[in-house]
Amino acid sequence: MVLKIEIDNESGFCFGVTTAIKKAEEELTNKQKLYCLGDIVHNGMECERLKKMGLETINHDEMANLHNTKVLLRAHGEPPYTYEVANKNGIEIIDATCPVVLQLQKRIKRKFDANPQAQIVIFGKNGHAEVLGLVGQTNSRAIVVENLDDVKKLDFKRDIYLYSQTTKSLDEFRRIISYIKRNIDEKAQFESFDTICRQVANRMPNIAEFASRHDVILFVSGRKSSNGKVLFAQCLSKNPRSYHIESPEEIDLSWFDGIETVGICGATSTPKWLMEECRDYIISYLHQRGVSLA
């Protein structure tokens, strides 16, 4: 038996996460105290690696009690209030907000300032860090919709301006646009703005093709990752033998009995080194059993 193991080249950190981690590493190399507001990435093992380097994760309440130190803002972005707290407490902000998210924040703020009576609607996950930052641009008046049922509760007699969390499904966003167009009052204005990150959106078809090419798929991702949940669901739809794991220790070696190919992929919050560790774990096991590798 010969087994082939392939790591998906398209998986791994997106540009925003890569930049945030590089900024953290640069500060930590200087041996300076650095706090991060929230998990820098939704991956426990990568957070633990950076913690060992000296990165301390804090929440908003803890930040409010800090003074004269450095705080890194992760790629998800923050509402205006966070910057106000930093300014008041003499905190130096290391701003790693993703440029795509930052541009979206500015667009929402401009639209809200121009028409504060309109419904600013954000297709996203309630409570998600990025969404909290977006809602903050509207004095917390934006309406978050997670699905079509939420959309049905909008006031279709009032203007609606629709945006999306950058990591949401493009197909679902289009379905919401179609529904609003069919139901909006003729006297009300509706505008939609496609604010989904293409680096993330393009991973959907790529990972579907990757999953269909292998007998077994190991999808490596933190279970808190919204992007990870969406991408794993895509894998599972194309390959029922797809398994969501967070670390090599969760691998069930019986998954590989009688198969020829294993594909390893992950979310935009999954470090490459973690996928490689999963591959090496499998290789070590197979060598012990005398299985050849392609």
Side-chain angles (χ1 to χ4, degrees):
M1 173 185 168
V2 177
L3 183 68
K4 179 183 178 182
I5 304 173
E6 180 184 5
I7 295 177
D8 176 28
N9 287 328
E10 300 296 325
S11 290
F13 290 154
C14 63
F15 170 79
V17 172
T18 298
T19 301
I21 288 174
K22 282 184 178 178
K23 286 189 176 185
E25 289 174 335
E26 287 170 4
E27 293 292 329
L28 294 168
T29 299
N30 297 327
K31 305 298 181 183
Q32 295 189 23
K33 185 66 178 178
L34 182 64
Y35 297 93
C36 181
L37 189 54
D39 290 339
I40 192 169
V41 62
H42 289 153
N43 185 278
M45 295 186 72
E46 180 65 6
C47 288
E48 186 62 28
R49 183 184 75 86
L50 291 169
K51 180 181 179 181
K52 289 176 180 177
M53 292 180 65
L55 184 66
E56 185 173 337
T57 302
I58 57 171
N59 59 35
H60 288 85
D61 290 339
E62 290 167 328
M63 178 179 170
N65 293 317
L66 293 178
H67 294 82
N68 306 312
T69 188
K70 290 185 177 182
V71 173
L72 183 140
L73 303 186
R74 55 195 177 166
H76 300 88
E78 284 291 322
Y81 176 73
T82 299
Y83 295 87
E84 294 167 9
V85 170
N87 186 56
K88 177 184 174 183
N89 290 8
I91 294 171
E92 181 183 344
I93 290 292
I94 309 297
D95 202 337
T97 302
C98 171
V100 177
V101 174
L102 193 60
Q103 184 64 26
L104 173 54
Q105 288 183 348
K106 292 177 180 177
R107 291 178 68 177
I108 289 176
K109 179 169 173 48
R110 283 196 300 267
K111 184 62 75 173
F112 175 74
D113 290 345
N115 188 357
Q117 301 308 315
Q119 296 171 97
I120 303 290
V121 179
I122 299 168
F123 170 47
K125 181 182 178 182
N126 267 300
H128 188 279
E130 180 189 326
V131 174
L132 293 175
L134 301 178
V135 172
Q137 309 305 314
T138 67
N139 295 332
S140 299
R141 287 167 61 181
I143 302 167
V144 179
V145 297
E146 295 193 359
N147 49 50
L148 205 53
D149 285 338
D150 289 342
V151 177
K152 294 174 182 177
K153 299 172 186 176
L154 298 175
D155 184 351
F156 293 100
K157 293 182 179 180
R158 292 171 53 208
D159 294 348
I160 296 175
Y161 300 121
L162 176 69
Y163 299 84
S164 175
Q165 180 182 335
T166 59
T167 54
K168 295 299 285 182
S169 161
L170 190 56
D171 289 340
E172 199 170 353
F173 185 61
R174 287 169 176 161
R175 283 193 288 272
I176 289 172
I177 292 171
S178 178
Y179 182 87
I180 295 175
K181 283 181 176 178
R182 292 196 307 270
N183 289 276
I184 192 80
D185 190 281
E186 60 181 16
K187 294 181 181 179
Q189 184 177 15
F190 171 56
E191 291 183 61
S192 62
F193 306 91
D194 182 353
T195 52
I196 293 173
C197 176
R198 285 303 182 271
Q199 190 183 10
V200 175
N202 290 341
R203 293 198 181 187
M204 291 288 280
N206 290 339
I207 212 163
E209 190 275 333
F210 182 80
S212 65
R213 283 196 279 116
H214 296 283
D215 297 326
V216 167
I217 288 293
L218 297 185
F219 185 85
V220 189
S221 166
R223 291 191 171 85
K224 290 197 293 184
S225 169
S226 296
N227 168 253
K229 292 174 184 176
V230 172
L231 289 174
F232 175 65
Q234 183 76 337
C235 287
L236 203 56
S237 71
K238 299 296 179 181
N239 188 333
R241 297 183 72 178
S242 296
Y243 303 96
H244 190 171
I245 61 171
E246 285 194 310
S247 67
E249 289 73 27
E250 293 184 16
I251 296 173
D252 183 340
L253 298 169
S254 68
W255 294 338
F256 313 120
D257 290 343
I259 61 131
E260 295 181 357
T261 64
V262 177
I264 302 175
C265 52
T268 56
S269 54
T270 303
K272 214 78 169 182
W273 63 262
L274 184 53
M275 289 184 281
E276 291 170 350
E277 279 194 1
C278 291
R279 176 201 60 198
D280 295 345
Y281 181 87
I282 298 169
I283 289 174
S284 176
Y285 164 73
L286 294 175
H287 277 163
Q288 293 174 17
R289 297 187 61 187
V291 177
S292 301
L293 295 169

